[in-house]
Amino acid sequence: MSMSASTELDEIRIIEQGVPPTRFARGWHCLGLARDYKDGKPHSVEAFGTKLVVFADSMGDIKILDAYCRHMGGDLSQGVIKGDAVACPFHDWRWDGNGKCADIPYARRVPPLARTRRWLAMEKDELIFVWHDPEGNPPAPDVTISEIRTPDAEWTEWEWKALEIDTNCREIIDNVVDMAHFYYVHYGMPTYFKNVFEGHVAIQEQRGESREDVVKWDDPEIPRLLGNRSVAAYHGPSFMTDDLVYIYDRYEVESMLINCHYPVGPDKFVLMYGISIKKTEQVPAEIAEQLMEAMIGYIGIGFEQDAEIWKNKTRIENPLLCEEDGPVYQLRRWYEQFCVDVADVTPEMVQRSEFELDTSRPVEAWKAEVAANLARQAGEEERV
């Protein structure tokens, strides 16, 4: 190899893919809507490299156990609920919500060591959460899920969707700071963008406008979407609440968007998203219900666009960034606190940090591109 070729190779940025972690993040993970688990049946959830059984006892309280029976390995999620216990389909050993074998119908007594792993469950605002900690510790008092929907208003029921994605779940976390992808992937135009990291919370504040060259409104009867305001916050490694206001030409729609996930394994996670709309004088119940159906479809398209990117991209530990790309490395440092022992959490991972991007240059470039696209589209229509 010549000296010039060697020098040129040295200057090429080489992607470092790294290895997806096999350890799953410490924190509260949402498993979905409470109503889906309160039907008197056990439910199977593959998460954290294992299988869980989720069921409600006679009082309607959610219980979560390891799915595999400690007797002979039967799958409890394929069994039935009997009283406050889930009964194994193999030999009818009955396990209560505390992880203790409560009864073996054919046995004189229950072995003293007949216990299985109980997972800490929490129900909040009609959602079910499970606590995961590789060290086996309970959550610290300040590690909580904050208020989801304000109690001083009436809201629609959750509209909820889920999809399984074959990649490591950190890919979705990077979106917290990725301002530019909203234009190229989701057809919005961020005009304001700020991140705040502190403790176990990561916040994304943004305002944006709709792209007229992509999103068309030809029917005057349909309200025209002008843009949005958003304050989204990850509470821990996997649960994001988004106070999202859609700005239409006739009214504003206040909503709560949930973006959450739980890992199935190192290279697979379940992504869930849901929306609830605040009922107001401008948006009464009947309009809120109609809007919710439309909005969950629109939001779903956005998540599917992300999933298509994740499916085809490579993992990259050393992304090459420009000034307008946001604090990617700082975000990953914040996220690292959930992937190490509590004793190894450093002050840099949890200290307060604020980053406000200057969006003037991107917006100028994007508006010019939108204008050019609209002119091209108008020319094509005239030729037709």
Side-chain angles (χ1 to χ4, degrees):
M1 179 183 298
S2 68
M3 181 64 70
S4 59
S6 176
T7 302
E8 182 180 350
L9 183 61
D10 290 340
E11 294 175 350
I12 294 175
R13 181 77 167 197
I14 304 299
I15 287 179
E16 297 174 4
Q17 291 183 314
V19 179
T22 56
R23 181 173 182 168
F24 304 109
R26 176 181 60 258
W28 287 108
H29 294 73
C30 182
L31 298 182
L33 298 176
R35 65 175 183 249
D36 292 341
Y37 295 101
K38 294 187 176 184
D39 57 358
K41 301 176 183 178
H43 293 265
S44 173
V45 175
E46 293 190 22
F48 312 113
T50 187
K51 182 184 282 190
L52 312 178
V53 58
V54 184
F55 65 99
D57 65 14
S58 61
M59 300 296 292
D61 294 330
I62 293 294
K63 307 297 180 181
I64 305 176
L65 306 174
D66 275 4
Y68 296 116
C69 181
R70 284 350 191 210
H71 172 222
M72 293 288 286
D75 186 348
L76 299 178
S77 69
Q78 301 302 309
V80 295
I81 305 302
K82 297 183 178 181
D84 287 332
V86 57
C88 181
F90 202 177
H91 300 93
D92 202 26
W93 283 41
R94 302 174 188 182
W95 301 88
D96 66 23
N98 292 319
K100 186 179 185 300
C101 183
D103 187 29
I104 306 172
Y106 64 86
R108 182 182 299 110
R109 66 185 182 90
V110 174
L113 297 179
R115 299 193 67 85
T116 188
R117 180 164 55 173
R118 176 182 71 92
W119 295 68
L120 185 60
M122 176 178 67
E123 182 174 345
K124 194 178 185 72
D125 210 339
E126 303 168 23
L127 303 176
I128 295 300
F129 297 84
V130 61
W131 173 257
H132 175 264
D133 185 352
E135 296 180 272
N137 297 321
D142 62 333
V143 179
T144 60
I145 303 296
S146 66
E147 184 177 72
I148 300 175
R149 294 182 296 191
T150 55
D152 60 344
E154 186 178 358
W155 297 76
T156 64
E157 295 292 322
W158 292 110
E159 185 73 20
W160 200 261
K161 302 290 182 181
L163 61 155
E164 197 171 80
I165 298 175
D166 292 324
T167 191
N168 186 266
C169 55
R170 196 197 65 187
E171 297 293 339
I172 190 173
I173 300 298
D174 282 347
N175 278 10
V176 176
V177 298
D178 191 352
M179 180 270 296
H181 96 287
F182 284 98
Y183 178 86
Y184 297 103
V185 180
H186 301 312
Y187 310 140
M189 190 185 305
T191 57
Y192 175 82
F193 201 91
K194 179 180 179 180
N195 289 114
V196 180
F197 310 137
E198 185 173 19
H200 72 290
V201 178
I203 297 174
Q204 174 203 91
E205 300 178 30
Q206 72 158 303
R207 294 189 293 271
E209 299 176 3
S210 295
R211 282 185 58 180
E212 297 179 32
D213 60 328
V214 177
V215 183
K216 303 289 187 179
W217 275 268
D218 299 322
D219 188 344
E221 297 300 318
I222 299 177
R224 184 181 182 86
L225 180 61
L226 304 178
N228 67 76
R229 299 192 304 271
S230 168
V231 179
Y234 263 103
H235 305 274
S238 67
F239 185 77
M240 172 184 275
T241 61
D242 187 358
D243 289 299
L244 177 61
V245 178
Y246 279 112
I247 304 168
Y248 291 87
D249 57 354
R250 303 177 194 176
Y251 43 65
E252 293 187 356
V253 179
E254 299 179 54
S255 68
M256 174 56 69
L257 172 65
I258 301 297
N259 164 16
C260 59
H261 66 272
Y262 61 84
V264 176
D267 294 308
K268 180 179 293 187
F269 68 95
V270 172
L271 170 65
M272 294 178 291
Y273 56 96
I275 192 167
S276 178
I277 294 177
K278 184 177 180 180
K279 300 175 185 178
T280 64
E281 290 186 8
Q282 283 188 317
V283 185
E286 61 272 16
I287 295 180
E289 295 292 341
Q290 295 173 7
L291 283 170
M292 187 171 64
E293 185 175 347
M295 288 167 66
I296 195 72
Y298 179 75
I299 291 166
I301 291 173
F303 281 115
E304 290 171 3
Q305 290 168 326
D306 276 327
E308 188 66 18
I309 294 291
W310 296 328
K311 182 175 69 175
N312 292 285
K313 75 181 291 293
T314 189
R315 180 181 176 86
I316 180 166
E317 288 293 292
N318 61 333
L320 180 60
L321 306 177
C322 65
E323 292 181 17
E324 288 75 15
D325 280 329
V328 175
Y329 287 102
Q330 291 88 341
L331 171 72
R332 292 182 178 184
R333 185 175 60 201
W334 168 85
Y335 184 72
E336 184 68 15
Q337 68 177 290
F338 308 113
C339 303
V340 299
D341 289 349
V342 171
D344 295 327
V345 175
T346 65
E348 291 76 17
M349 296 176 185
V350 297
Q351 67 187 9
R352 182 178 177 87
S353 304
E354 297 188 19
F355 306 87
E356 182 176 336
L357 291 181
D358 181 357
T359 60
S360 56
R361 173 67 180 88
V363 170
E364 180 184 358
W366 291 335
K367 285 189 174 182
E369 181 176 304
V370 167
N373 289 342
L374 289 172
R376 176 180 51 79
Q377 292 168 11
E380 292 175 352
E381 292 173 0
E382 288 181 2
R383 287 193 294 272
V384 172

